[in-house]
Amino acid sequence: MTTPPEFAAVAKAQLDTALRFATVTTESAQRLFDLNMKTVRSSFDEASAQVRAIAGAKDPADVQAIAGKVLKPGLDKTQAYAKEVYESVAGVQAEVTALIETQVTEFQKQMVVAMDSLLKNAPAGSEALVSSFKSAASTANQAYETAMQSWKGLTAQFEPAAPAPSKRKAA
């Protein structure tokens, strides 16, 4: 049976985890917001400069030269932005996965302790029920482990697909 101090410890651990999860997601949202604001401001400044340059062009060849200078850096900046977003999201996903794994591991430990306590006090003749309860818990743990392995494998497949900044030099 769970005593009040044990219950309080479990409740505190749950609260700490919930607060950590909230902190991780809030910080991630703030980083993405800051990145987006920086990108919008930079894009606006660059677009303004490009419009001024095009407005000051004397002939169509100047307009074409300006457009050529704008295209390649714009693609590189888009790729760098995508990489930053990917890295931010991947970092949050890793932290959330670690939080979930920690929670499940802790829950499993608590279940083992609770089961042991419960099973020690089981009435005579309940061995079959005890055995099936242990089997069900073992099956649930195996299912969780399989799901986590599948999730890690899935995320590992997408890791190499992360965008990387271009290494080519502008002509």
Side-chain angles (χ1 to χ4, degrees), residues 54-75:
I54 289 172
K58 304 287 187 226
D59 59 52
D62 290 342
V63 172
Q64 185 177 10
I66 292 168
K69 291 178 185 177
V70 170
L71 186 60
K72 174 71 171 103
L75 292 174

Side-chain angles (χ1 to χ4, degrees), residues 7-118:
F7 181 75
V10 169
K12 183 186 179 312
Q14 294 296 320
L15 178 63
D16 289 345
T17 300
L19 290 174
R20 178 65 189 141
F21 181 78
T23 300
V24 166
T25 55
T26 302
E27 288 173 354
S28 173
Q30 181 66 45
R31 282 192 303 271
L32 288 174
F33 178 79
D34 291 346
L35 174 63
N36 286 333
M37 291 307 294
K38 182 178 81 172
T39 301
V40 166
R41 181 66 185 165
S42 174
S43 296
F44 178 76
D45 290 346
E46 290 171 11
S48 297
Q50 293 163 3
V51 167
R52 285 188 195 103
I54 289 172
K58 304 287 187 226
D59 59 52
D62 290 342
V63 172
Q64 185 177 10
I66 292 168
K69 291 178 185 177
V70 170
L71 186 60
K72 174 71 171 103
L75 292 174
D76 287 344
K77 288 176 184 173
T78 300
Q79 201 170 23
Y81 171 80
K83 184 175 188 285
E84 274 191 71
V85 168
Y86 171 81
E87 288 172 351
S88 179
V89 170
V92 170
Q93 185 250 339
E95 282 190 68
V96 168
T97 299
L99 281 172
I100 291 170
E101 286 178 345
T102 300
Q103 281 300 102
V104 169
T105 301
E106 190 59 36
F107 176 75
Q108 288 171 337
K109 287 178 188 175
Q110 292 170 1
M111 284 299 296
V112 167
V113 169
M115 276 193 338
D116 285 346
S117 174
L118 182 66

